[in-house]
């Protein structure tokens, strides 16, 4: 595995079933464990991706999650064709949420998703266009 | 504290992964809001919750937790139990309320932070 050719995996995130949200994150966790990354790195990637996957199901009706594993970094790209984020600055503030009440009753929608992804990753890039969709690029650098 | 001692202290039924109840755990957190568990919890091995849906199990999986206690006699679905088995997470169901269950475990020696 050199830096120019990452191991690549792709997952479909289904948007019609909240109870299945997180399945891709569980798969990613297994893959990273089998490659031999340390527990802290695996946990950071898993939590960041899980939050993003939950967001995708709640707000965008699902999408695609791609995992790229380089020797020195792990990159997850999540692409959806949802409504887009109107104000990224506002969406990044803890406690701000546009999730419906039924999602709160399921234990999510506290406005911690995007801030949490930023907290657990080394870099978070958000590319969103209203009416077209959102692309999140999450990078985690493994501990040495 | 062993997970088996948690079950005894909380009069809890063991719902799955009984073979792992001798594992030692040192810390716990109580919440019905999984967003908060993902945001604020670090290295806790036990989650106490009154929320019952598959995302409770997935949240615990992401956080590498060892045990989930469902308070107020809540019972997880078969689907949740299967998910927990996959990750070797012990599921307990206790008749205690959240406040009581947390107090009993705190008094019994569990900490808010991993030691």
């Amino acid at each position: 595995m050199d830096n120019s050719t990452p191991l690549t995996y792709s997952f479909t995130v289904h948007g019609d079933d909240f109870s299945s949200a997180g399945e891709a994150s569980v798969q990613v966790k297994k893959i990273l464990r089998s490659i031999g990354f340390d527990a802290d790195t695996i946990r950071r990637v898993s939590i960041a991706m899980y939050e993003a996957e939950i967001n995708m199901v709640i707000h965008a009706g699902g999408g695609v999650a791609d995992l790229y594993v380089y020797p020195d970094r792990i990159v997850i790209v999540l692409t959806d064709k949802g409504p887009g984020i109107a104000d990224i600055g506002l969406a990044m503030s803890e406690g701000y949420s546009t999730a419906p009440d039924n999602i709160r009753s399921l234990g999510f929608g506290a406005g911690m998703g995007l801030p949490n992804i930023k907290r657990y990753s080394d870099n978070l890039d958000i590319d969103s266009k209203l009416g077209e969709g959102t692309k999140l690029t999450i990078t985690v650098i493994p501990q040495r | 504290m062993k997970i088996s001692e948690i079950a005894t202290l909380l009069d809890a039924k063991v719902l799955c992964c009984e073979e792992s109840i001798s594992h030692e755990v040192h810390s716990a957190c109580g919440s019905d809001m999984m967003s908060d568990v993902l945001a604020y919890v670090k290295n806790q091995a036990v989650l106490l919750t009154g929320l019952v849906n598959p995302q409770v199990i997935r949240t615990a999986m992401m956080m590498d937790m060892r045990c989930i206690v469902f308070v107020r006699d809540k019972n997880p679905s078969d689907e949740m139990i299967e998910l927990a088995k996959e990750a070797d997470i012990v599921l307990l169901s206790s008749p205690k309320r959240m406040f009581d269950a947390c107090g009993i475990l705190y008094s019994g020696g569990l900490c808010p932070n991993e030691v």
Side-chain angles (χ1 to χ4, degrees):
Chain A
M1 187 163 58
D2 63 49
N3 271 331
S4 57
T5 54
L7 294 173
T8 306
Y9 306 83
S10 188
F11 307 89
T12 300
V13 177
H14 299 287
D16 51 355
D17 181 12
F18 185 77
S19 71
S20 70
E23 284 178 351
S25 304
V26 172
Q27 291 305 315
V28 164
K29 188 162 190 162
K30 284 180 186 164
I31 289 167
L32 296 181
R33 195 178 282 152
S34 72
I35 292 172
F37 284 102
D38 65 282
D40 183 65
T41 298
I42 294 172
R43 191 189 304 179
R44 289 196 296 134
V45 172
S46 305
I47 295 172
M49 180 169 170
Y50 181 52
E51 288 278 19
E53 213 184 326
I54 293 276
N55 271 353
M56 224 179 206
V57 174
I58 294 174
H59 298 288
V64 174
D66 294 310
L67 168 70
Y68 303 95
V69 182
Y70 297 86
D72 63 343
R73 67 194 187 280
I74 297 158
V75 180
I76 305 158
V77 180
L78 299 109
T79 313
D80 68 58
K81 292 186 166 52
I85 303 170
D87 185 334
I88 291 175
L90 196 55
M92 286 303 300
S93 49
E94 291 192 0
Y96 177 80
S97 175
T98 57
D101 285 345
N102 68 313
I103 294 298
R104 289 199 182 84
S105 69
L106 293 167
F108 287 89
M112 298 304 297
L114 284 174
N116 220 6
I117 294 169
K118 190 170 175 64
R119 175 179 294 142
Y120 286 103
S121 63
D122 292 293
N123 192 63
L124 168 63
D125 183 61
I126 305 173
D127 182 10
S128 189
K129 288 192 180 68
L130 279 181
E132 291 183 28
T134 299
K135 181 167 137 183
L136 285 191
T137 305
I138 301 166
T139 304
V140 172
I141 313 282
Q143 303 287 312
R144 290 284 173 196
Chain B
M1 183 186 292
K2 289 190 164 127
I3 293 174
S4 56
E5 292 172 74
I6 294 176
T8 304
L9 284 170
L10 300 182
D11 300 324
K13 287 179 287 188
V14 182
L15 304 174
C16 73
C17 302
E18 192 149 9
E19 64 281 5
S20 299
I21 59 171
S22 57
H23 279 144
E24 285 281 345
V25 291
H26 304 285
S27 60
C29 67
S31 180
D32 287 351
M33 191 47 103
M34 296 304 107
S35 296
D36 286 347
V37 173
L38 290 163
Y40 299 117
V41 170
K42 200 177 177 204
N43 290 330
Q44 273 83 357
V46 182
L47 169 65
L48 295 96
T49 187
L51 187 70
V52 182
N53 70 53
Q55 300 311 338
V56 175
I57 313 289
R58 290 217 180 82
T59 298
M61 288 166 91
M62 297 305 150
M63 307 298 285
D64 298 320
M65 290 173 158
R66 307 303 305 265
C67 172
I68 301 170
V69 181
F70 293 99
V71 294
R72 303 191 296 278
D73 268 335
K74 300 268 178 99
N75 275 306
S77 64
D78 292 344
E79 179 195 1
M80 291 171 68
I81 290 174
E82 287 309 310
L83 271 178
K85 282 181 183 168
E86 244 179 66
D88 192 25
I89 296 171
V90 180
L91 299 187
L92 303 177
S93 176
S94 166
K96 307 281 186 202
R97 293 179 180 193
M98 176 73 101
F99 183 80
D100 299 339
C102 290
I104 289 165
L105 296 185
Y106 194 99
S107 306
L110 280 193
C111 307
N113 297 303
E114 185 63 89
V115 289

